[in-house]
Amino acid sequence: MRFGIIAAGQGSRLEQEGCQCPKPLVRLAGVPLLQRLIEQFLQCDAERIAVIINTHQPQTERLLDSLARVYPIDVVMKDTPSSMHSFHALSPYLVSGEPNAGANDRFCVTTVDTVFNPVAFAGYVEAFRRSRTDGVMGVTTYVDDEKPLYVSVDDAMRITGFHDVQGTAGSGSGQAFRHVSAGIYGLTGRALQTLERCIGSGQSRMRAFQRQLVADGLCLQAYDMGKVIDIDHVNDIAKAESLLQITNE
């Protein structure tokens, strides 16, 4: 299975708060975020790892160049207007291109600032490999995002929708959505057809793409990742350090 890392953002909020290095190079327990993800993907038997960075990150480029000498990494340097456009730029590297593969290829994509329990992630990858669905999306009940994307599921954790606001499960249950997207996307090649249509229609947000997956009838499963931290602000670094410390105890 192939993996992808979206690391083309500007990290402007971290910079405004005094962070002196690009977001992919922010260190947790002494290891840059980007390197940490690559090592975790390799521990999950990644076939290849594609990484997209913008053209204004010479330090990140140097790290990737050194890692690519050792590991199966494809580097894409491109300035993109959104995460969905970055995902689109990575898409040719996420499928094998082998005959009779295509829609059945499986890949996992995440953003560089997503920090999770490595054991939980290994369980997620194994569940995705066994799944017969069109995708398995990482979710969490830990809500610490300025604009969370709520995920509604049925009793079997099949995803029924993606929502900007916390509504209820419907059918008179009155039960509020418990999960939000964790920014971890395990999909098959079939999802790339939806991605192409989203790009072609001028959409730019990953949440619009996720909604379109449901609208197109793809069967998506939710997998609870436990606590997941996004490094958007300087104080998130300490939260992520704490999560990893608890994980290692």
Side-chain angles (χ1 to χ4, degrees), residues 137 162 187 191 194 208-218 220:
M137 312 294 260
F162 295 93
L187 295 163
T194 297
F209 164 65
Q210 292 176 81
R211 290 190 183 106
Q212 193 60 50
L213 290 172
V214 175
D216 286 350
L218 274 70
L220 303 176

Side-chain angles (χ1 to χ4, degrees), residues 35-155:
Q35 183 174 341
R36 177 176 295 278
L37 275 178
I38 288 171
E39 290 174 351
Q40 289 175 341
F41 293 167
L42 290 169
Q43 289 171 7
C44 293
D45 299 323
E47 176 189 348
R48 296 199 67 82
I49 302 169
V51 184
I52 181 169
I53 62 173
N54 64 49
T55 60
H56 310 288
Q57 297 185 24
Q59 295 169 278
T60 307
E61 183 184 0
R62 286 195 291 271
L63 173 63
L64 277 175
D65 284 345
S66 65
L67 293 173
R69 295 190 187 103
V70 182
Y71 304 124
I73 299 172
D74 297 305
V75 181
V76 179
M77 291 188 63
K78 186 175 183 179
D79 297 325
T80 60
S82 72
S83 292
M84 192 173 80
H85 285 83
S86 294
F87 181 21
H88 185 254
L90 283 180
S91 60
Y93 301 89
L94 300 174
V95 291
S96 65
E98 295 293 331
N100 303 319
N104 295 319
D105 276 344
R106 289 174 180 264
F107 57 85
C108 176
V109 174
T110 186
T111 51
V112 73
D113 59 351
T114 303
V115 181
F116 41 74
N117 181 325
V119 175
F121 183 73
Y124 159 80
V125 171
E126 183 59 29
F128 178 40
R129 285 193 168 111
R130 295 196 311 266
S131 174
R132 296 184 180 181
T133 65
D134 296 306
V136 177
M137 312 294 260
V139 298
T140 177
T141 56
Y142 178 72
V143 184
D144 189 35
D145 197 301
E146 294 163 355
K147 295 181 180 179
L149 180 63
Y150 292 93
V151 183
S152 57
V153 298
D154 63 15
D155 291 340

